[in-house]
Amino acid sequence: EDAATLPFLQSLPGMAPFTRGTKTLINGWEINQEINVGIPASFNKVARHDLSKGQTSLNIVLDTPTKRGINASEATSEVGKAGLSISGVTDVADALKDIDFGNVPIHVGAGANSLPILALIIAHLEQSGREMKELHGCIGMDPLAELVENGTLAYELQDCYTLMADITKWAN
């Protein structure tokens, strides 16, 4: 009789709402994996497929030019390799088409400078008539990891930390 009111009793494993298990968490774990697809429309197709199969948030990996703030048309190499290539609001719109920001947290590893990708996502929200309060997740900025990974930064380290502080103040 204690189990009679549990909301997931009639659901099947591997089917929405993906709540089967030994216990129900109030604010449970997010389920995601990195999506290493370079072309925005292809990324969207993979993301929507994964979300339909139980993934609950998006973990967006950016290519090196995007993380360094370089437009794909100006980059000499690495465009779309090992991550999503974003050069403008249209790319963001293509990558995130039909993604419900209210229910799908977005996590982006933006490298040493998160401002360009944050600005593009906000511009996309504004152009599509959505509010920023719908957006949740993390647009991460880690200049030290970028420095270790590539041996150089496209920005001065102190500038990265100042920008990080400014974005955090703005977000609050």
Side-chain angles (χ1 to χ4, degrees):
E1 79 187 49
D2 290 340
T5 61
L6 293 175
F8 60 85
L9 285 180
Q10 302 306 316
S11 68
L12 298 172
M15 304 293 288
F18 307 103
T19 54
R20 308 268 311 166
T22 59
K23 61 183 172 181
T24 302
L25 301 173
I26 301 301
N27 292 315
W29 293 89
E30 291 177 2
I31 300 168
N32 74 41
Q33 62 184 7
E34 292 181 347
I35 300 176
N36 292 316
V37 177
I39 299 168
S42 299
F43 172 90
N44 179 265
K45 184 177 179 180
V46 171
R48 287 187 297 113
H49 173 268
D50 288 357
L51 290 168
S52 76
K53 297 298 182 189
Q55 188 165 311
T56 60
S57 65
L58 292 179
N59 187 346
I60 301 173
V61 177
L62 300 174
D63 67 0
T64 300
T66 300
K67 287 197 273 185
R68 292 187 167 233
I70 301 170
N71 190 302
S73 64
E74 298 169 2
T76 56
S77 64
E78 300 184 6
V79 174
K81 292 182 182 175
L84 181 60
S85 178
I86 298 287
S87 292
V89 179
T90 303
D91 290 337
V92 173
D94 290 347
L96 300 178
K97 181 180 179 187
D98 298 325
I99 303 295
D100 179 6
F101 293 122
N103 292 313
V104 178
I106 309 265
H107 301 278
V108 182
N113 186 353
S114 63
L115 185 58
I117 195 69
L118 176 61
L120 291 171
I121 290 172
I122 291 169
H124 166 63
L125 286 171
E126 289 175 352
Q127 287 181 3
S128 58
R130 295 163 143 173
E131 295 185 31
M132 280 190 291
K133 68 181 180 182
E134 288 183 52
L135 186 63
H136 56 285
C138 174
I139 300 178
M141 181 171 165
D142 190 348
L144 288 180
E146 187 78 9
L147 182 60
V148 168
E149 184 178 325
N150 297 309
T152 63
L153 289 174
Y155 315 94
E156 293 293 324
L157 187 58
Q158 186 57 48
D159 293 342
C160 292
Y161 286 122
T162 300
L163 185 59
M164 197 181 312
D166 290 343
I167 292 169
T168 302
K169 284 182 208 173
W170 173 83
N172 287 327

PDB file of all heavy atoms in Angstrom, residues 111-148:
ATOM      1  N   GLY A 111      36.559  27.189 -22.098  1.00  0.00           N
ATOM      2  CA  GLY A 111      37.990  27.477 -22.140  1.00  0.00           C
ATOM      3  C   GLY A 111      38.356  28.670 -21.294  1.00  0.00           C
ATOM      4  O   GLY A 111      37.852  28.853 -20.191  1.00  0.00           O
ATOM      5  N   ALA A 112      39.229  29.521 -21.813  1.00  0.00           N
ATOM      6  CA  ALA A 112      39.767  30.645 -21.038  1.00  0.00           C
ATOM      7  C   ALA A 112      38.838  31.842 -20.992  1.00  0.00           C
ATOM      8  O   ALA A 112      39.013  32.730 -20.160  1.00  0.00           O
ATOM      9  CB  ALA A 112      41.116  31.074 -21.619  1.00  0.00           C
ATOM     10  N   ASN A 113      37.842  31.903 -21.871  1.00  0.00           N
ATOM     11  CA  ASN A 113      36.980  33.078 -21.920  1.00  0.00           C
ATOM     12  C   ASN A 113      35.560  32.656 -22.268  1.00  0.00           C
ATOM     13  O   ASN A 113      35.291  32.253 -23.394  1.00  0.00           O
ATOM     14  CB  ASN A 113      37.511  34.076 -22.954  1.00  0.00           C
ATOM     15  CG  ASN A 113      36.750  35.385 -22.951  1.00  0.00           C
ATOM     16  OD1 ASN A 113      35.734  35.525 -22.279  1.00  0.00           O
ATOM     17  ND2 ASN A 113      37.242  36.331 -23.702  1.00  0.00           N
ATOM     18  N   SER A 114      34.661  32.776 -21.316  1.00  0.00           N
ATOM     19  CA  SER A 114      33.281  32.359 -21.544  1.00  0.00           C
ATOM     20  C   SER A 114      32.401  33.468 -22.099  1.00  0.00           C
ATOM     21  O   SER A 114      31.274  33.210 -22.512  1.00  0.00           O
ATOM     22  CB  SER A 114      32.676  31.838 -20.242  1.00  0.00           C
ATOM     23  OG  SER A 114      32.632  32.866 -19.271  1.00  0.00           O
ATOM     24  N   LEU A 115      32.897  34.699 -22.138  1.00  0.00           N
ATOM     25  CA  LEU A 115      32.057  35.819 -22.560  1.00  0.00           C
ATOM     26  C   LEU A 115      31.523  35.680 -23.990  1.00  0.00           C
ATOM     27  O   LEU A 115      30.327  35.900 -24.212  1.00  0.00           O
ATOM     28  CB  LEU A 115      32.796  37.148 -22.388  1.00  0.00           C
ATOM     29  CG  LEU A 115      31.969  38.398 -22.688  1.00  0.00           C
ATOM     30  CD1 LEU A 115      30.732  38.463 -21.812  1.00  0.00           C
ATOM     31  CD2 LEU A 115      32.817  39.645 -22.508  1.00  0.00           C
ATOM     32  N   PRO A 116      32.329  35.315 -24.989  1.00  0.00           N
ATOM     33  CA  PRO A 116      31.767  35.224 -26.347  1.00  0.00           C
ATOM     34  C   PRO A 116      30.612  34.232 -26.462  1.00  0.00           C
ATOM     35  O   PRO A 116      29.569  34.562 -27.031  1.00  0.00           O
ATOM     36  CB  PRO A 116      32.955  34.783 -27.208  1.00  0.00           C
ATOM     37  CG  PRO A 116      34.155  35.253 -26.458  1.00  0.00           C
ATOM     38  CD  PRO A 116      33.787  35.098 -25.002  1.00  0.00           C
ATOM     39  N   ILE A 117      30.763  33.041 -25.903  1.00  0.00           N
ATOM     40  CA  ILE A 117      29.695  32.044 -26.033  1.00  0.00           C
ATOM     41  C   ILE A 117      28.491  32.445 -25.187  1.00  0.00           C
ATOM     42  O   ILE A 117      27.346  32.261 -25.595  1.00  0.00           O
ATOM     43  CB  ILE A 117      30.199  30.616 -25.714  1.00  0.00           C
ATOM     44  CG1 ILE A 117      29.196  29.561 -26.195  1.00  0.00           C
ATOM     45  CG2 ILE A 117      30.505  30.428 -24.261  1.00  0.00           C
ATOM     46  CD1 ILE A 117      29.087  29.433 -27.681  1.00  0.00           C
ATOM     47  N   LEU A 118      28.723  33.021 -24.020  1.00  0.00           N
ATOM     48  CA  LEU A 118      27.620  33.514 -23.187  1.00  0.00           C
ATOM     49  C   LEU A 118      26.841  34.596 -23.932  1.00  0.00           C
ATOM     50  O   LEU A 118      25.610  34.567 -23.973  1.00  0.00           O
ATOM     51  CB  LEU A 118      28.157  34.058 -21.865  1.00  0.00           C
ATOM     52  CG  LEU A 118      27.129  34.692 -20.920  1.00  0.00           C
ATOM     53  CD1 LEU A 118      26.068  33.686 -20.506  1.00  0.00           C
ATOM     54  CD2 LEU A 118      27.831  35.273 -19.694  1.00  0.00           C
ATOM     55  N   ALA A 119      27.537  35.531 -24.553  1.00  0.00           N
ATOM     56  CA  ALA A 119      26.882  36.614 -25.297  1.00  0.00           C
ATOM     57  C   ALA A 119      26.070  36.055 -26.463  1.00  0.00           C
ATOM     58  O   ALA A 119      24.943  36.523 -26.721  1.00  0.00           O
ATOM     59  CB  ALA A 119      27.922  37.610 -25.795  1.00  0.00           C
ATOM     60  N   LEU A 120      26.597  35.063 -27.164  1.00  0.00           N
ATOM     61  CA  LEU A 120      25.872  34.476 -28.287  1.00  0.00           C
ATOM     62  C   LEU A 120      24.616  33.731 -27.829  1.00  0.00           C
ATOM     63  O   LEU A 120      23.565  33.807 -28.475  1.00  0.00           O
ATOM     64  CB  LEU A 120      26.785  33.551 -29.087  1.00  0.00           C
ATOM     65  CG  LEU A 120      27.899  34.237 -29.874  1.00  0.00           C
ATOM     66  CD1 LEU A 120      28.871  33.211 -30.445  1.00  0.00           C
ATOM     67  CD2 LEU A 120      27.322  35.106 -30.978  1.00  0.00           C
ATOM     68  N   ILE A 121      24.713  33.021 -26.713  1.00  0.00           N
ATOM     69  CA  ILE A 121      23.538  32.308 -26.188  1.00  0.00           C
ATOM     70  C   ILE A 121      22.471  33.307 -25.741  1.00  0.00           C
ATOM     71  O   ILE A 121      21.282  33.134 -26.019  1.00  0.00           O
ATOM     72  CB  ILE A 121      23.943  31.344 -25.054  1.00  0.00           C
ATOM     73  CG1 ILE A 121      24.746  30.172 -25.641  1.00  0.00           C
ATOM     74  CG2 ILE A 121      22.713  30.830 -24.314  1.00  0.00           C
ATOM     75  CD1 ILE A 121      25.371  29.258 -24.611  1.00  0.00           C
ATOM     76  N   ILE A 122      22.888  34.378 -25.068  1.00  0.00           N
ATOM     77  CA  ILE A 122      21.930  35.410 -24.635  1.00  0.00           C
ATOM     78  C   ILE A 122      21.288  36.078 -25.851  1.00  0.00           C
ATOM     79  O   ILE A 122      20.069  36.303 -25.881  1.00  0.00           O
ATOM     80  CB  ILE A 122      22.613  36.435 -23.720  1.00  0.00           C
ATOM     81  CG1 ILE A 122      22.961  35.776 -22.386  1.00  0.00           C
ATOM     82  CG2 ILE A 122      21.721  37.662 -23.497  1.00  0.00           C
ATOM     83  CD1 ILE A 122      23.863  36.602 -21.507  1.00  0.00           C
ATOM     84  N   ALA A 123      22.081  36.382 -26.877  1.00  0.00           N
ATOM     85  CA  ALA A 123      21.538  36.981 -28.101  1.00  0.00           C
ATOM     86  C   ALA A 123      20.512  36.044 -28.744  1.00  0.00           C
ATOM     87  O   ALA A 123      19.457  36.484 -29.215  1.00  0.00           O
ATOM     88  CB  ALA A 123      22.660  37.312 -29.079  1.00  0.00           C
ATOM     89  N   HIS A 124      20.808  34.754 -28.746  1.00  0.00           N
ATOM     90  CA  HIS A 124      19.865  33.775 -29.298  1.00  0.00           C
ATOM     91  C   HIS A 124      18.559  33.781 -28.495  1.00  0.00           C
ATOM     92  O   HIS A 124      17.469  33.759 -29.087  1.00  0.00           O
ATOM     93  CB  HIS A 124      20.485  32.377 -29.298  1.00  0.00           C
ATOM     94  CG  HIS A 124      19.498  31.288 -29.531  1.00  0.00           C
ATOM     95  ND1 HIS A 124      18.772  31.171 -30.694  1.00  0.00           N
ATOM     96  CD2 HIS A 124      19.082  30.275 -28.733  1.00  0.00           C
ATOM     97  CE1 HIS A 124      17.959  30.110 -30.605  1.00  0.00           C
ATOM     98  NE2 HIS A 124      18.137  29.563 -29.423  1.00  0.00           N
ATOM     99  N   LEU A 125      18.668  33.807 -27.185  1.00  0.00           N
ATOM    100  CA  LEU A 125      17.459  33.846 -26.348  1.00  0.00           C
ATOM    101  C   LEU A 125      16.624  35.080 -26.669  1.00  0.00           C
ATOM    102  O   LEU A 125      15.405  34.994 -26.839  1.00  0.00           O
ATOM    103  CB  LEU A 125      17.833  33.844 -24.861  1.00  0.00           C
ATOM    104  CG  LEU A 125      18.328  32.531 -24.287  1.00  0.00           C
ATOM    105  CD1 LEU A 125      18.856  32.730 -22.875  1.00  0.00           C
ATOM    106  CD2 LEU A 125      17.233  31.484 -24.300  1.00  0.00           C
ATOM    107  N   GLU A 126      17.276  36.227 -26.749  1.00  0.00           N
ATOM    108  CA  GLU A 126      16.568  37.469 -27.037  1.00  0.00           C
ATOM    109  C   GLU A 126      15.919  37.430 -28.413  1.00  0.00           C
ATOM    110  O   GLU A 126      14.761  37.831 -28.566  1.00  0.00           O
ATOM    111  CB  GLU A 126      17.516  38.659 -26.917  1.00  0.00           C
ATOM    112  CG  GLU A 126      17.924  38.962 -25.490  1.00  0.00           C
ATOM    113  CD  GLU A 126      18.955  40.065 -25.373  1.00  0.00           C
ATOM    114  OE1 GLU A 126      19.493  40.534 -26.404  1.00  0.00           O
ATOM    115  OE2 GLU A 126      19.254  40.464 -24.225  1.00  0.00           O
ATOM    116  N   GLN A 127      16.637  36.942 -29.420  1.00  0.00           N
ATOM    117  CA  GLN A 127      16.085  36.888 -30.776  1.00  0.00           C
ATOM    118  C   GLN A 127      14.915  35.921 -30.893  1.00  0.00           C
ATOM    119  O   GLN A 127      14.030  36.107 -31.721  1.00  0.00           O
ATOM    120  CB  GLN A 127      17.171  36.506 -31.780  1.00  0.00           C
ATOM    121  CG  GLN A 127      18.153  37.611 -32.054  1.00  0.00           C
ATOM    122  CD  GLN A 127      19.209  37.212 -33.074  1.00  0.00           C
ATOM    123  OE1 GLN A 127      19.184  36.122 -33.637  1.00  0.00           O
ATOM    124  NE2 GLN A 127      20.157  38.114 -33.297  1.00  0.00           N
ATOM    125  N   SER A 128      14.914  34.898 -30.058  1.00  0.00           N
ATOM    126  CA  SER A 128      13.826  33.917 -30.125  1.00  0.00           C
ATOM    127  C   SER A 128      12.705  34.227 -29.136  1.00  0.00           C
ATOM    128  O   SER A 128      11.796  33.418 -28.956  1.00  0.00           O
ATOM    129  CB  SER A 128      14.373  32.499 -29.910  1.00  0.00           C
ATOM    130  OG  SER A 128      15.028  32.393 -28.674  1.00  0.00           O
ATOM    131  N   GLY A 129      12.780  35.407 -28.491  1.00  0.00           N
ATOM    132  CA  GLY A 129      11.717  35.842 -27.595  1.00  0.00           C
ATOM    133  C   GLY A 129      11.661  35.109 -26.272  1.00  0.00           C
ATOM    134  O   GLY A 129      10.633  35.088 -25.608  1.00  0.00           O
ATOM    135  N   ARG A 130      12.772  34.524 -25.869  1.00  0.00           N
ATOM    136  CA  ARG A 130      12.825  33.815 -24.590  1.00  0.00           C
ATOM    137  C   ARG A 130      13.486  34.693 -23.551  1.00  0.00           C
ATOM    138  O   ARG A 130      14.220  35.618 -23.875  1.00  0.00           O
ATOM    139  CB  ARG A 130      13.616  32.522 -24.749  1.00  0.00           C
ATOM    140  CG  ARG A 130      12.949  31.543 -25.680  1.00  0.00           C
ATOM    141  CD  ARG A 130      13.946  30.521 -26.113  1.00  0.00           C
ATOM    142  NE  ARG A 130      13.378  29.203 -26.235  1.00  0.00           N
ATOM    143  CZ  ARG A 130      14.035  28.174 -26.723  1.00  0.00           C
ATOM    144  NH1 ARG A 130      15.288  28.304 -27.084  1.00  0.00           N
ATOM    145  NH2 ARG A 130      13.462  27.011 -26.827  1.00  0.00           N
ATOM    146  N   GLU A 131      13.254  34.360 -22.293  1.00  0.00           N
ATOM    147  CA  GLU A 131      13.855  35.118 -21.205  1.00  0.00           C
ATOM    148  C   GLU A 131      15.096  34.402 -20.696  1.00  0.00           C
ATOM    149  O   GLU A 131      15.171  33.180 -20.711  1.00  0.00           O
ATOM    150  CB  GLU A 131      12.846  35.290 -20.077  1.00  0.00           C
ATOM    151  CG  GLU A 131      11.647  36.125 -20.480  1.00  0.00           C
ATOM    152  CD  GLU A 131      10.726  36.391 -19.310  1.00  0.00           C
ATOM    153  OE1 GLU A 131      11.222  36.470 -18.175  1.00  0.00           O
ATOM    154  OE2 GLU A 131       9.517  36.517 -19.557  1.00  0.00           O
ATOM    155  N   MET A 132      16.055  35.194 -20.197  1.00  0.00           N
ATOM    156  CA  MET A 132      17.303  34.605 -19.682  1.00  0.00           C
ATOM    157  C   MET A 132      17.058  33.715 -18.475  1.00  0.00           C
ATOM    158  O   MET A 132      17.839  32.799 -18.226  1.00  0.00           O
ATOM    159  CB  MET A 132      18.309  35.700 -19.340  1.00  0.00           C
ATOM    160  CG  MET A 132      19.021  36.230 -20.548  1.00  0.00           C
ATOM    161  SD  MET A 132      20.399  37.292 -20.132  1.00  0.00           S
ATOM    162  CE  MET A 132      19.545  38.695 -19.451  1.00  0.00           C
ATOM    163  N   LYS A 133      15.980  33.954 -17.744  1.00  0.00           N
ATOM    164  CA  LYS A 133      15.726  33.138 -16.561  1.00  0.00           C
ATOM    165  C   LYS A 133      15.426  31.684 -16.919  1.00  0.00           C
ATOM    166  O   LYS A 133      15.503  30.813 -16.075  1.00  0.00           O
ATOM    167  CB  LYS A 133      14.604  33.736 -15.713  1.00  0.00           C
ATOM    168  CG  LYS A 133      13.238  33.699 -16.342  1.00  0.00           C
ATOM    169  CD  LYS A 133      12.218  34.334 -15.419  1.00  0.00           C
ATOM    170  CE  LYS A 133      10.839  34.293 -16.054  1.00  0.00           C
ATOM    171  NZ  LYS A 133       9.856  34.930 -15.209  1.00  0.00           N
ATOM    172  N   GLU A 134      15.099  31.433 -18.202  1.00  0.00           N
ATOM    173  CA  GLU A 134      14.905  30.053 -18.647  1.00  0.00           C
ATOM    174  C   GLU A 134      16.219  29.276 -18.664  1.00  0.00           C
ATOM    175  O   GLU A 134      16.231  28.064 -18.505  1.00  0.00           O
ATOM    176  CB  GLU A 134      14.331  30.023 -20.070  1.00  0.00           C
ATOM    177  CG  GLU A 134      12.912  30.442 -20.207  1.00  0.00           C
ATOM    178  CD  GLU A 134      12.435  30.291 -21.634  1.00  0.00           C
ATOM    179  OE1 GLU A 134      12.581  29.206 -22.229  1.00  0.00           O
ATOM    180  OE2 GLU A 134      11.925  31.287 -22.174  1.00  0.00           O
ATOM    181  N   LEU A 135      17.311  29.979 -18.892  1.00  0.00           N
ATOM    182  CA  LEU A 135      18.611  29.346 -19.051  1.00  0.00           C
ATOM    183  C   LEU A 135      19.162  28.918 -17.699  1.00  0.00           C
ATOM    184  O   LEU A 135      19.214  29.706 -16.756  1.00  0.00           O
ATOM    185  CB  LEU A 135      19.582  30.330 -19.716  1.00  0.00           C
ATOM    186  CG  LEU A 135      20.961  29.820 -20.090  1.00  0.00           C
ATOM    187  CD1 LEU A 135      20.855  28.721 -21.141  1.00  0.00           C
ATOM    188  CD2 LEU A 135      21.810  30.963 -20.612  1.00  0.00           C
ATOM    189  N   HIS A 136      19.557  27.660 -17.603  1.00  0.00           N
ATOM    190  CA  HIS A 136      20.262  27.202 -16.407  1.00  0.00           C
ATOM    191  C   HIS A 136      21.279  26.142 -16.802  1.00  0.00           C
ATOM    192  O   HIS A 136      21.210  25.543 -17.858  1.00  0.00           O
ATOM    193  CB  HIS A 136      19.300  26.744 -15.308  1.00  0.00           C
ATOM    194  CG  HIS A 136      18.328  25.684 -15.699  1.00  0.00           C
ATOM    195  ND1 HIS A 136      17.225  25.923 -16.471  1.00  0.00           N
ATOM    196  CD2 HIS A 136      18.291  24.373 -15.423  1.00  0.00           C
ATOM    197  CE1 HIS A 136      16.543  24.812 -16.639  1.00  0.00           C
ATOM    198  NE2 HIS A 136      17.173  23.849 -16.019  1.00  0.00           N
ATOM    199  N   GLY A 137      22.251  26.001 -15.939  1.00  0.00           N
ATOM    200  CA  GLY A 137      23.376  25.119 -16.205  1.00  0.00           C
ATOM    201  C   GLY A 137      24.656  25.850 -15.868  1.00  0.00           C
ATOM    202  O   GLY A 137      24.732  26.561 -14.871  1.00  0.00           O
ATOM    203  N   CYS A 138      25.660  25.712 -16.720  1.00  0.00           N
ATOM    204  CA  CYS A 138      26.955  26.331 -16.447  1.00  0.00           C
ATOM    205  C   CYS A 138      27.688  26.619 -17.747  1.00  0.00           C
ATOM    206  O   CYS A 138      27.816  25.741 -18.597  1.00  0.00           O
ATOM    207  CB  CYS A 138      27.793  25.393 -15.581  1.00  0.00           C
ATOM    208  SG  CYS A 138      29.473  25.962 -15.306  1.00  0.00           S
ATOM    209  N   ILE A 139      28.122  27.848 -17.889  1.00  0.00           N
ATOM    210  CA  ILE A 139      29.030  28.179 -18.977  1.00  0.00           C
ATOM    211  C   ILE A 139      30.369  28.405 -18.296  1.00  0.00           C
ATOM    212  O   ILE A 139      30.646  29.474 -17.775  1.00  0.00           O
ATOM    213  CB  ILE A 139      28.549  29.395 -19.784  1.00  0.00           C
ATOM    214  CG1 ILE A 139      27.180  29.067 -20.384  1.00  0.00           C
ATOM    215  CG2 ILE A 139      29.559  29.755 -20.864  1.00  0.00           C
ATOM    216  CD1 ILE A 139      26.541  30.163 -21.155  1.00  0.00           C
ATOM    217  N   GLY A 140      31.141  27.334 -18.234  1.00  0.00           N
ATOM    218  CA  GLY A 140      32.368  27.320 -17.451  1.00  0.00           C
ATOM    219  C   GLY A 140      33.535  27.994 -18.146  1.00  0.00           C
ATOM    220  O   GLY A 140      33.667  27.960 -19.358  1.00  0.00           O
ATOM    221  N   MET A 141      34.371  28.587 -17.320  1.00  0.00           N
ATOM    222  CA  MET A 141      35.561  29.291 -17.805  1.00  0.00           C
ATOM    223  C   MET A 141      36.746  28.816 -16.970  1.00  0.00           C
ATOM    224  O   MET A 141      36.737  28.981 -15.749  1.00  0.00           O
ATOM    225  CB  MET A 141      35.327  30.799 -17.632  1.00  0.00           C
ATOM    226  CG  MET A 141      36.430  31.669 -18.109  1.00  0.00           C
ATOM    227  SD  MET A 141      35.850  33.382 -18.054  1.00  0.00           S
ATOM    228  CE  MET A 141      37.405  34.213 -18.216  1.00  0.00           C
ATOM    229  N   ASP A 142      37.726  28.212 -17.609  1.00  0.00           N
ATOM    230  CA  ASP A 142      38.868  27.665 -16.885  1.00  0.00           C
ATOM    231  C   ASP A 142      40.161  27.997 -17.626  1.00  0.00           C
ATOM    232  O   ASP A 142      40.668  27.198 -18.411  1.00  0.00           O
ATOM    233  CB  ASP A 142      38.707  26.159 -16.717  1.00  0.00           C
ATOM    234  CG  ASP A 142      39.725  25.555 -15.778  1.00  0.00           C
ATOM    235  OD1 ASP A 142      40.698  26.243 -15.413  1.00  0.00           O
ATOM    236  OD2 ASP A 142      39.551  24.383 -15.406  1.00  0.00           O
ATOM    237  N   PRO A 143      40.708  29.197 -17.381  1.00  0.00           N
ATOM    238  CA  PRO A 143      41.919  29.584 -18.106  1.00  0.00           C
ATOM    239  C   PRO A 143      43.127  28.716 -17.786  1.00  0.00           C
ATOM    240  O   PRO A 143      43.971  28.497 -18.655  1.00  0.00           O
ATOM    241  CB  PRO A 143      42.143  31.039 -17.694  1.00  0.00           C
ATOM    242  CG  PRO A 143      41.350  31.238 -16.458  1.00  0.00           C
ATOM    243  CD  PRO A 143      40.227  30.260 -16.505  1.00  0.00           C
ATOM    244  N   LEU A 144      43.213  28.199 -16.569  1.00  0.00           N
ATOM    245  CA  LEU A 144      44.360  27.349 -16.235  1.00  0.00           C
ATOM    246  C   LEU A 144      44.329  26.036 -17.001  1.00  0.00           C
ATOM    247  O   LEU A 144      45.362  25.569 -17.493  1.00  0.00           O
ATOM    248  CB  LEU A 144      44.425  27.096 -14.733  1.00  0.00           C
ATOM    249  CG  LEU A 144      44.839  28.288 -13.879  1.00  0.00           C
ATOM    250  CD1 LEU A 144      44.860  27.910 -12.411  1.00  0.00           C
ATOM    251  CD2 LEU A 144      46.178  28.841 -14.319  1.00  0.00           C
ATOM    252  N   ALA A 145      43.155  25.440 -17.131  1.00  0.00           N
ATOM    253  CA  ALA A 145      43.052  24.204 -17.910  1.00  0.00           C
ATOM    254  C   ALA A 145      43.404  24.463 -19.371  1.00  0.00           C
ATOM    255  O   ALA A 145      44.084  23.656 -20.007  1.00  0.00           O
ATOM    256  CB  ALA A 145      41.647  23.628 -17.800  1.00  0.00           C
ATOM    257  N   GLU A 146      42.961  25.591 -19.890  1.00  0.00           N
ATOM    258  CA  GLU A 146      43.279  25.956 -21.275  1.00  0.00           C
ATOM    259  C   GLU A 146      44.786  26.143 -21.443  1.00  0.00           C
ATOM    260  O   GLU A 146      45.371  25.706 -22.435  1.00  0.00           O
ATOM    261  CB  GLU A 146      42.527  27.240 -21.640  1.00  0.00           C
ATOM    262  CG  GLU A 146      42.628  27.627 -23.075  1.00  0.00           C
ATOM    263  CD  GLU A 146      41.722  26.819 -23.989  1.00  0.00           C
ATOM    264  OE1 GLU A 146      40.874  26.055 -23.507  1.00  0.00           O
ATOM    265  OE2 GLU A 146      41.885  26.956 -25.206  1.00  0.00           O
ATOM    266  N   LEU A 147      45.416  26.771 -20.468  1.00  0.00           N
ATOM    267  CA  LEU A 147      46.857  26.987 -20.506  1.00  0.00           C
ATOM    268  C   LEU A 147      47.612  25.661 -20.463  1.00  0.00           C
ATOM    269  O   LEU A 147      48.551  25.438 -21.234  1.00  0.00           O
ATOM    270  CB  LEU A 147      47.286  27.888 -19.345  1.00  0.00           C
ATOM    271  CG  LEU A 147      48.763  28.254 -19.247  1.00  0.00           C
ATOM    272  CD1 LEU A 147      49.216  28.998 -20.498  1.00  0.00           C
ATOM    273  CD2 LEU A 147      49.013  29.102 -18.002  1.00  0.00           C
ATOM    274  N   VAL A 148      47.181  24.760 -19.599  1.00  0.00           N
ATOM    275  CA  VAL A 148      47.833  23.450 -19.497  1.00  0.00           C
ATOM    276  C   VAL A 148      47.627  22.650 -20.784  1.00  0.00           C
ATOM    277  O   VAL A 148      48.548  22.016 -21.290  1.00  0.00           O
ATOM    278  CB  VAL A 148      47.288  22.674 -18.271  1.00  0.00           C
ATOM    279  CG1 VAL A 148      47.722  21.218 -18.306  1.00  0.00           C
ATOM    280  CG2 VAL A 148      47.734  23.338 -16.976  1.00  0.00           C
TER     281      VAL A 148
END
